[in-house]
Amino acid sequence: TFNGDGQVWFKIAEWEATFNPFSFKCYNLNGLTATIPRSISSGQYLVRAEQIGLHVAGAPQFYVSCGQINVTGGGSANPSKVSIPGYVSASDPGLTVNIYNPVPTAYKVPGPAVFSG
């Protein structure tokens, strides 16, 4: 089993925004695919998919789903980790953005950097 308490979470993928016109790369897709880096240690992990609804400016809505996996044949990488809750601040520009007016010309996905291995 995996204990999700404390600084044990790291990010393996994110889908950014596109511009002209503004949208998110994952908008209206039936599914998303991510690769678990081969360099992470073998063991039990929780995979956490998170979508943040930004349709109400200043009131982000978090939609989360988790699944437990067992990584075998892994490496010895030790990515930097964060705590959930606590990995983002309520004042993070990626959470307070108004996606309608003015239309964003830049957007940074909230949270830590992606660990690619």
Side-chain angles (χ1 to χ4, degrees):
T1 62
F2 181 84
N3 182 349
D5 293 338
Q7 288 188 302
V8 296
W9 298 93
F10 59 97
K11 187 188 290 188
I12 62 167
E14 68 184 17
W15 288 265
E16 298 112 357
T18 58
F19 304 93
N20 297 321
F22 178 78
S23 187
F24 288 97
K25 291 182 178 182
C26 60
Y27 184 67
N28 278 339
L29 296 181
N30 291 332
L32 299 168
T33 302
T35 301
I36 297 168
R38 293 184 184 273
S39 61
I40 66 167
S41 302
S42 296
Q44 298 287 313
Y45 291 87
L46 286 178
V47 174
R48 181 179 191 265
E50 173 185 277
Q51 184 175 12
I52 304 171
L54 299 172
H55 48 284
V56 178
Q61 297 175 19
F62 291 80
Y63 301 92
V64 179
S65 182
C66 293
Q68 188 162 348
I69 62 169
N70 183 35
V71 173
T72 60
S76 59
N78 186 19
S80 68
K81 298 174 183 80
V82 298
S83 296
I84 299 175
Y87 76 105
V88 293
S89 164
S91 62
D92 186 306
L95 298 178
T96 61
V97 63
N98 183 331
I99 61 172
Y100 302 109
N101 188 21
V103 175
T105 57
Y107 180 80
K108 181 182 177 308
V109 176
V114 172
F115 174 75
S116 58

